[in-house]
């Protein structure tokens, strides 16, 4: 079954790798597509600009009319001077502007950006905007047009007031928590008569051009997405890879996040965002300094009478699983927000492994204040220790078949014709059964290890603890570690060569050599010849892995390199400590026991025997029909 193991995993890997390569466009196709996209983009931009210009002209005309009409609602708030107001604590610095009354800049402290600045600027007023739109009887009110007056100012609180005259106003109150949460209330004062009795909602329009925060554009872009949480549970997101414009979300949602790989801006509504919110995500060009253009158009609760304010919480901070679990408790909305889902841990099976094992181990080891590279090595060692009994069982199954190889060759030497292969397999299974050997016993342990590899594939790229952490020659474990870089973006390779990726692929080749040698030692007759034909696939896989993982983080490639190194060391140790003569003696003893107490074939051996008997019966019937046909002639 070890051979089947390799064939199965090789075919799966080959299919995935082949699809990956096949899905990549050629240089000519890229150029053609870029030209086509450029033409389409120009046409689309012209249409969008025309629509925007018309809307701006309409808004400007309405604003000019309102400014000219001294009795208009919010006349006093349409003119003023924009000034900044800063809220700050030890983790976060937020800049609000009196023009619009919302946050225009968010700086997350104590996290270096890719330009070695000591803090990360999540967004600023040039790329981000937030507008609350209210449809009154006589005029549409956009908070982006209003000048607010700040009051009750401290380092953590401020009240923004837009005067509407005659005791009327729109008030936005802000309170910054102890870390990354900003609590917000929007309340109308004396405006009940200016809205229709049926007015119960307002529009929320949020845009942001997401900054590239990490060194690897492609890798960071792969883990950046506009993500939202459904009010009845569960998260979803727009495609990270392709352009999505004006996608309608049919269900209610209670938060939306503008997420990049390690940081997010999240807007949470106490009374949910209504059905049919519209979301947009547009990937940006490499080298632009930006990842994606996000936009969310939503509706939520608004009480024109002011009896009940509209409440929001904003999270501006890192995508840290434990932090997001804890920060959710600061929200006063009594909701299961599942904000930790911003840290993607994989599909359900792999999420369970990461959620209930990897994270706990990772937290314990990082709590020891040791280097993150050492943490990855210790996690690898722990996983190898846990899976060692299964690995040993798999190896011993191979070793038993290896020492029995001469006996199997002797027992099946008369079955070398192609039409005898089924009978040969049956004879081999019968021989294995006599010695108490099950080729299938090595299958399950190998399959059990695969989810661990995939779980780590999902965990490591999302572990913010690796960000900015160095180890040996690696400057940052969360991104690639180039040994050489160039300015041209080459197809499949990119603009660099990653050293840890090269080490991983070389280790993969060496491990494949050891595995193939082990398999050849146990295969009989034509199986050994078939193994030779598989070698090219085993050597091709690491090459394909290079193209796939060259952009991936050094931490992930280093983990795979160390994992393969320890796997090879375990295999070598088991081979050196296995005494073939003693093992054969044990099998001979088992053979004598089974000879005196023969057992009925079961499992695969029984199925092979049944297939052989069916084949023999069909062959007998064909021969009988052939004789009858000749007799009639």
């Amino acid at each position: 079954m070890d051979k089947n193991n390799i064939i199965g995993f090789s075919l799966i890997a080959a299919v995935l790798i082949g699809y990956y390569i096949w899905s990549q466009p050629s240089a000519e196709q890229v150029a053609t597509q870029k030209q086509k996209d450029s033409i389409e983009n120009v046409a689309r931009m012209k249409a969008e600009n025309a629509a925007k210009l018309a809307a701006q002209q309409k808004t400007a005309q309405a604003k000019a009319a309102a400014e000219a009409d001294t009795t208009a609602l919010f006349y006093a708030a349409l003119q003023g001077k924009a000034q900044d107001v800063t809220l700050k604590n030890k983790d976060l610095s937020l800049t609000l502007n009196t023009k619009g009354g919302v946050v225009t800049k968010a700086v997350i402290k104590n996290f270096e950006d890719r330009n070695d600045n000591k803090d990360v600027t999540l967004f600023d007023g040039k790329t981000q905007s937030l507008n609350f739109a209210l449809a009154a009887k006589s005029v549409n009110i956009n908070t982006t047009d209003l000048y607010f007056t700040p009051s009750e100012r401290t380092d953590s609180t401020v009240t923004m007031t837009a005067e509407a005259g005659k005791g009327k106003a729109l008030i936005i109150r802000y309170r910054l928590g102890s870390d990354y949460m900003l609590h917000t209330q929007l309340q109308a004062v004396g405006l009940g008569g200016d809205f229709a009795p049926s007015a119960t909602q307002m529009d929320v329009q949020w845009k942001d051009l997401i900054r590239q925060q990490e060194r690897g554009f492609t890798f960071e872009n792969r883990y950046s997405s506009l993500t939202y949480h459904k009010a009845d549970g569960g998260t979803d997101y727009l495609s990270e890879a392709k352009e999505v414009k004006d996608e309608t979300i049919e269900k209610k949602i209670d938060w939306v996040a503008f997420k990049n790989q390690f940081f997010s801006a999240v807007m949470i509504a106490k009374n949910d965002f209504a059905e049919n919110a519209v979301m947009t995500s547009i990937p940006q060009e490499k080298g632009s300094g930006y990842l994606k253009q996000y936009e969310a158009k939503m509706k939520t609760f608004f009480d024109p009478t002011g009896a009940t304010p509209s409440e929001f919480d904003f999270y501006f901070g890192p995508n840290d699983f434990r932090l997001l679990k804890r920060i959710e408790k600061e929200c006063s909305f009594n909701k299961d927000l599942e904000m930790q889902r911003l840290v993607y841990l994989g599909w359900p099976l792999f999420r369970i492994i990461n959620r209930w094992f990897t994270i706990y181990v990772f937290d314990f080891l990082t709590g020891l204040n040791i280097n993150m590279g050492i943490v990855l090595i210790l996690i690898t060692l722990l996983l190898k220790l846990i899976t060692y009994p299964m690995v040993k069982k798999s190896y011993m199954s191979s070793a038993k078949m290896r020492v029995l190889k001469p006996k199997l060759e002797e027992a099946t030497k008369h079955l070398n014709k192609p039409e005898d292969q089924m009978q040969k397999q049956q004879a081999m299974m019968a021989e294995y059964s006599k010695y108490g050997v099950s080729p299938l016993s090595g299958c399950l342990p190998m399959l059990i290890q695969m989810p661990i590899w995939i779980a780590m594939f999902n965990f490591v790229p999302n572990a913010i603890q690796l960000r900015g952490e160095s180890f040996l020659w690696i400057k940052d474990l969360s991104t690639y570690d180039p040994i050489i870089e160039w300015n041209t973006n080459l197809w499949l390779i990119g603009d660099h060569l990653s050293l840890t990726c090269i080490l991983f692929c070389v280790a993969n080749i060496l491990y494949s050599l050891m595995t193939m040698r082990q398999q050849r030692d146990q295969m009989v007759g034509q199986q050994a010849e078939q193994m030779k034909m598989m070698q090219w696939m085993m050597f091709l896989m690491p090459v394909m892995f290079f193209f796939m993982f060259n952009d991936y983080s050094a931490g992930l490639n280093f983990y795979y390199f160390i994992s393969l190194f320890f796997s090879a060391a375990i295999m070598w140790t088991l081979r050196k400590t296995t005494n073939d003569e003693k093992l054969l003696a044990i099998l001979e003893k088992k053979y004598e026991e089974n000879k005196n107490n023969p057992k009925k074939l079961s499992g695969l051996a029984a199925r092979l025997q049944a297939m052989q008997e069916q084949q023999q019966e069909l062959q007998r019937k064909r021969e009988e029909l052939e004789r009858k046909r000749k007799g009639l002639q």
Side-chain angles (χ1 to χ4, degrees):
M1 186 56 201
D2 292 293
K3 174 198 168 187
N4 294 333
N5 245 355
I6 292 182
I7 293 174
F9 291 141
S10 299
L11 288 176
I12 291 171
V15 170
L16 292 174
I17 294 169
Y19 176 77
Y20 174 83
I21 300 299
W22 172 81
S23 65
Q24 300 301 308
S26 65
E28 183 179 352
Q29 289 173 325
V30 170
T32 303
Q33 186 63 39
K34 281 187 175 181
Q35 184 179 10
K36 181 180 177 182
D37 290 345
S38 178
I39 295 171
E40 292 176 349
N41 287 339
V42 169
R44 187 178 70 239
M45 288 176 64
K46 284 183 178 179
E48 289 178 353
N49 289 338
K52 285 180 181 178
L53 182 61
Q56 289 172 355
Q57 288 175 345
K58 185 177 179 180
T59 301
Q61 290 171 358
K63 182 179 177 182
E67 288 175 347
D69 182 5
T70 57
T71 63
L73 193 64
F74 287 103
Y75 168 77
L78 290 173
Q79 301 179 41
K81 182 179 180 180
Q83 60 178 338
D84 290 334
V85 176
T86 302
L87 302 180
K88 59 185 178 180
N89 58 27
K90 60 180 175 45
D91 298 313
L92 192 64
S93 176
L94 300 176
T95 301
L96 296 84
N97 196 280
T98 55
K99 175 67 182 299
V102 296
V103 177
T104 55
K105 184 177 182 180
V107 177
I108 302 172
K109 298 180 180 180
N110 307 315
F111 287 93
E112 287 189 2
D113 66 10
R114 65 191 180 103
N115 297 317
D116 297 327
N117 296 314
K118 65 177 183 177
D119 300 322
V120 165
T121 299
L122 193 59
F123 59 78
D124 59 26
K126 297 177 182 178
T127 59
Q128 189 263 173
S129 65
L130 174 61
N131 179 46
F132 298 102
L134 313 171
K137 291 178 181 178
S138 60
V139 65
N140 291 328
I141 304 165
N142 292 290
T143 56
T144 51
D145 295 332
L146 304 180
Y147 287 88
F148 289 75
T149 301
S151 61
E152 303 175 3
R153 295 172 61 175
T154 68
D155 280 347
S156 60
T157 62
V158 67
T159 298
M160 295 283 196
T161 304
E163 297 291 347
K166 299 180 180 179
K168 302 176 181 180
L170 188 65
I171 300 174
I172 308 178
R173 297 183 180 89
Y174 293 100
R175 178 175 63 83
L176 180 62
S178 59
D179 36 39
Y180 301 100
M181 192 74 86
L182 177 68
H183 307 281
T184 308
Q185 289 185 343
L186 186 149
Q187 187 173 21
V189 176
L191 295 174
D194 295 285
F195 288 82
S198 59
T200 59
Q201 288 185 328
M202 65 177 169
D203 288 293
V204 180
Q205 301 154 355
W206 191 21
K207 295 181 181 180
D208 192 7
L209 187 60
I210 300 299
R211 294 186 174 203
Q212 180 184 345
Q213 304 287 1
E214 314 306 323
R215 181 175 192 172
F217 173 86
T218 305
F219 191 62
E220 184 182 7
N221 214 8
R222 188 178 290 120
Y223 291 92
S224 302
S225 62
L226 190 157
T227 305
Y228 55 90
H229 183 264
K230 300 169 188 175
D232 58 359
T235 56
D236 206 345
Y237 55 90
L238 303 189
S239 172
E240 310 98 325
K242 63 182 181 181
E243 179 178 304
V244 179
K245 294 198 69 176
D246 296 335
E247 179 169 309
T248 301
I249 312 303
E250 296 180 353
K251 292 187 175 183
K252 288 184 179 181
I253 60 176
D254 47 25
W255 59 256
V256 60
F258 291 172
K259 172 185 177 296
N260 62 19
Q261 185 179 4
F262 291 122
F263 303 96
S264 290
V266 186
M267 185 177 188
I268 309 163
K270 179 179 181 178
N271 298 100
D272 301 333
F273 296 110
E275 299 93 338
N276 300 317
V278 177
M279 307 290 182
T280 295
S281 174
I282 303 174
Q284 303 300 297
E285 290 289 332
K286 185 175 183 178
S288 66
Y290 298 95
L291 300 173
K292 292 180 173 75
Q293 172 71 62
Y294 292 147
E295 182 176 3
K297 301 174 184 176
M298 304 166 289
K299 293 182 181 293
T300 192
F301 167 81
F302 174 69
D303 179 8
T305 67
T308 306
S310 300
E311 294 187 55
F312 306 93
D313 277 349
F314 291 88
Y315 174 81
F316 306 111
N319 300 330
D320 183 311
F321 187 91
R322 292 296 186 199
L323 173 64
L324 290 166
K325 286 280 289 182
R326 176 173 56 81
I327 208 81
E328 187 173 309
K329 297 177 182 178
E330 293 186 19
C331 181
S332 58
F333 301 159
N334 295 320
K335 292 184 175 186
D336 184 11
L337 297 174
E338 298 183 297
M339 286 178 61
Q340 71 275 9
R341 288 294 187 93
L342 288 170
V343 181
Y344 183 69
L345 298 178
W347 292 349
L349 173 61
F350 313 126
R351 186 187 306 131
I352 290 171
I353 294 172
N354 284 326
R355 173 68 181 87
W356 301 107
F357 174 77
T358 311
I359 288 178
Y360 280 98
V361 174
F362 197 77
D363 287 347
F364 171 75
L365 293 175
T366 53
L368 300 177
N369 294 320
I370 54 180
N371 185 276
M372 285 298 165
I374 303 298
V375 168
L376 289 175
I377 293 174
L378 293 177
I379 287 178
T380 308
L381 282 171
L382 179 60
L383 291 172
K384 292 300 176 186
L385 182 64
I386 292 172
T387 58
Y388 176 75
M390 295 178 287
V391 171
K392 185 176 181 181
K393 183 177 181 181
S394 177
Y395 175 81
M396 291 308 297
S397 176
S398 301
K400 290 174 183 178
M401 290 188 286
R402 182 181 70 245
V403 298
L404 289 175
K405 179 180 178 181
K407 295 185 178 294
L408 263 69
E409 288 179 336
E410 180 65 26
T412 60
K413 63 182 180 181
H414 61 288
L415 299 171
N416 286 327
K417 295 179 181 180
E419 60 269 23
D420 295 334
Q421 291 309 301
M422 180 68 72
Q423 189 175 351
K424 184 174 183 176
Q425 286 290 332
Q426 182 186 0
M428 289 172 59
M429 294 304 295
E431 286 296 309
Y432 283 138
S433 180
K434 291 175 183 177
Y435 287 93
V437 175
S438 173
L440 294 174
S441 62
C443 224
L444 184 61
M446 297 304 295
L447 289 174
I448 290 174
Q449 292 184 82
M450 293 303 293
I452 296 175
W453 268 58
I454 300 174
M456 292 300 290
F457 176 84
N458 288 297
F459 174 78
V460 174
N462 291 292
I464 193 172
Q465 292 84 352
L466 299 178
R467 186 179 185 273
E469 292 293 323
S470 62
F471 180 65
L472 300 177
W473 70 89
I474 305 170
K475 293 183 179 179
D476 186 349
L477 286 164
S478 69
T479 187
Y480 60 82
D481 57 323
I483 53 172
I484 184 172
E485 293 183 277
W486 52 87
N487 295 325
T488 306
N489 192 52
L490 300 180
W491 182 59
L492 291 180
I493 297 178
D495 56 5
H496 65 274
L497 290 177
S498 170
L499 180 55
T500 50
C501 179
I502 293 172
L503 290 174
F504 161 47
C505 293
V506 170
N508 205 339
I509 292 173
L510 296 177
Y511 184 72
S512 298
L513 280 170
M514 292 182 66
T515 304
M516 286 187 293
R517 181 177 178 181
Q518 176 182 319
Q519 301 308 314
R520 281 199 303 268
D521 289 344
Q522 70 187 47
M523 290 181 179
V524 179
Q526 291 188 357
Q527 288 182 337
E529 296 300 319
Q530 293 170 1
M531 189 65 189
K532 292 179 181 178
M533 293 187 291
M534 289 175 55
Q535 289 183 6
W536 68 270
M537 185 184 296
M538 300 296 290
F539 287 123
L540 184 62
M541 284 170 54
V543 177
M544 297 300 101
F545 280 143
F546 168 76
F547 293 115
M548 293 175 64
F549 284 86
N550 191 45
D551 266 328
Y552 274 70
S553 68
L556 183 63
N557 281 319
F558 180 72
Y559 165 75
Y560 283 149
F561 165 67
I562 292 296
S563 181
L564 284 169
F565 174 82
F566 285 133
S567 294
I570 290 170
M571 184 184 295
W572 182 86
T573 303
L574 287 171
R575 183 68 180 88
K576 291 296 182 181
T577 56
T578 300
N579 189 314
D580 287 1
E581 292 181 358
K582 289 183 178 180
L583 182 58
L584 182 58
I586 293 171
L587 294 174
E588 291 284 4
K589 183 179 179 181
K590 188 72 173 178
Y591 175 80
E592 293 299 326
E593 292 175 0
N594 290 337
K595 186 177 180 181
N596 296 327
N597 300 286
K599 296 180 181 179
K600 186 178 179 180
L601 290 178
S602 61
L604 180 60
R607 288 194 293 272
L608 284 172
Q609 184 180 30
M611 291 171 64
Q612 176 66 19
E613 290 173 353
Q614 289 176 1
Q615 188 181 41
Q616 290 173 348
E617 179 64 19
L618 287 172
Q619 181 65 26
R620 186 187 63 78
K621 289 182 178 180
R622 280 196 297 266
E623 291 174 354
E624 185 177 345
L625 287 172
E626 183 65 21
R627 284 196 301 270
K628 288 181 179 180
R629 185 180 65 81
K630 288 181 179 180
L632 290 173
Q633 292 176 351

